Amino acid sequence: MRIGELARLADVTTRTLRHYDELGLLTGRRGANGYRVYDDADLRTVREIRMLVGLGFALEDTRPFVECLRAGHERAASCPDSLAVLRRRIAEVDDSVDRLHEVRGELTRQLGEASRARCEFSGIDP
Amino acid sequence: MRIGELARLADVTTRTLRHYDELGLLTGRRGANGYRVYDDADLRTVREIRMLVGLGFALEDTRPFVECLRAGHERAASCPDSLAVLRRRIAEVDDSVDRLHEVRGELTRQLGEASRARCEFSGIDP
DNA sequence: GCTGGCGTTCACGTCGGCGTCAAGGTCTAC
DNA sequence: GTAGACCTTGACGCCGACGTGAACGCCAGC
């Protein structure tokens, strides 16, 4: 299939697929006329990339998964490099959640103090 | 005081202060020589901005707080607009935490499936 | 043969929050 | 009077993941 059809099937734009090509992430074959030619494996790969991006991975971090698929593995995450990136991402998410909890605490503290200040100003007892 | 001293006291760069000036966020007075002139209130404002940025606010979202201080209020968060932005940010944080929990669940699911796949491949019983 | 719908490459624009020059003006100390 | 430590504006660079448009090639159907 050509780039337009793959884009429709994978629900991305052709620009996105060309971008992946530029990055060497999804380097399809070329037809005699210079057109990019893709197959079902490429569709599978794009879907994998989009799933990972949806989980917060940078495109560069999806590379091990893509290569794992290209190596013939059923599951893109089953290669050592993929697993390492996966675990790293989990650690990042945990850190983010921790930081957000701290931030949330500080935000509510600020909200409470500001509300009290407004009540005093209005002469309202909290 | 001039821009360099304020930068030192607030632990930011002069570029940062000029950037705030460009945004109209911290428009100081000008001396006879064209130099920016700041006072203690400006220092307080910069510290407020940096604190808010540390809590994930965009610079534009700090504007209500800055204006609240300029209006003479003790607490930058005690004005209606500040409170609205504050509450909105709390909601954003809650959404982010929820999304990160979902992401974390999906990540561990992927990790589990990939590990099982590797064990089957190695002939190791999980 | 020509229109329309595909495809191609090149290359700049977007968003935020500055960093990092460059080219110059100002003020102080020696 | 001159070094150097401050200040000014202007303008491009950076990061990531594309959007957007220009200018062109290819091919099917009428």
Side-chain angles (χ1 to χ4, degrees):
Chain A
M1 75 188 90
R2 290 177 305 177
I3 196 169
E5 190 179 351
L6 178 57
R8 268 190 303 278
L9 292 176
D11 196 31
V12 297
T13 66
T14 59
R15 179 68 181 91
T16 295
L17 295 177
R18 287 192 193 99
H19 184 54
Y20 295 171
D21 192 359
E22 289 171 12
L23 295 181
L25 206 53
L26 191 72
T27 317
R29 295 181 304 108
R30 293 296 182 123
N33 49 14
Y35 288 9
R36 289 172 181 84
V37 178
Y38 299 99
D39 57 17
D40 288 349
D42 294 319
L43 174 56
R44 168 77 201 280
T45 299
V46 177
R47 287 184 167 151
E48 185 77 28
I49 293 174
R50 296 314 294 179
M51 189 269 294
L52 292 169
V53 166
L55 293 178
F57 287 89
L59 284 180
E60 272 311 313
D61 286 344
T62 70
R63 201 178 291 272
F65 296 83
V66 172
E67 288 176 358
C68 193
L69 283 180
R70 257 209 316 246
H73 295 273
E74 261 304 298
R75 317 203 114 269
S78 65
C79 296
D81 289 356
S82 312
L83 285 170
V85 172
L86 202 48
R87 279 191 266 263
R88 189 159 56 76
R89 176 70 189 140
I90 291 178
E92 280 176 20
V93 169
D94 287 345
D95 286 353
S96 296
V97 169
D98 290 349
R99 271 199 21 253
L100 284 178
H101 277 147
E102 291 176 15
V103 163
R104 211 217 118 98
E106 180 62 20
L107 287 170
T108 52
R109 205 182 63 77
Q110 295 267 337
L111 185 60
E113 288 188 9
S115 300
R116 273 193 297 280
R118 279 187 66 75
C119 287
E120 287 167 18
F121 178 72
S122 333
I124 307 173
D125 244 344
Chain B
M1 77 187 92
R2 290 177 304 179
I3 197 169
E5 190 179 352
L6 178 58
R8 268 189 303 277
L9 292 176
D11 197 29
V12 298
T13 67
T14 59
R15 180 68 180 90
T16 295
L17 295 177
R18 285 192 195 101
H19 185 52
Y20 294 171
D21 192 359
E22 289 172 12
L23 295 181
L25 205 53
L26 192 71
T27 316
R29 295 181 302 107
R30 293 297 182 123
N33 49 14
Y35 288 9
R36 290 172 180 85
V37 178
Y38 299 99
D39 57 18
D40 288 349
D42 293 320
L43 173 56
R44 167 78 200 280
T45 299
V46 178
R47 285 184 169 150
E48 185 76 29
I49 293 174
R50 297 313 295 178
M51 189 269 294
L52 292 169
V53 166
L55 293 179
F57 287 88
L59 285 180
E60 272 311 313
D61 286 344
T62 70
R63 200 178 292 273
F65 296 83
V66 172
E67 288 176 358
C68 193
L69 283 180
R70 259 208 315 246
H73 295 273
E74 262 303 300
R75 319 203 114 269
S78 64
C79 296
D81 288 357
S82 312
L83 285 171
V85 172
L86 200 48
R87 279 191 264 264
R88 189 159 55 77
R89 176 70 187 140
I90 290 178
E92 279 176 20
V93 169
D94 287 345
D95 286 353
S96 296
V97 169
D98 290 349
R99 272 201 19 255
L100 283 178
H101 277 147
E102 291 175 15
V103 163
R104 212 217 118 97
E106 181 62 20
L107 287 170
T108 52
R109 206 182 63 77
Q110 295 268 336
L111 185 59
E113 289 188 7
S115 300
R116 274 193 295 281
R118 279 189 65 77
C119 288
E120 287 167 17
F121 178 72
S122 333
I124 307 172
D125 245 344

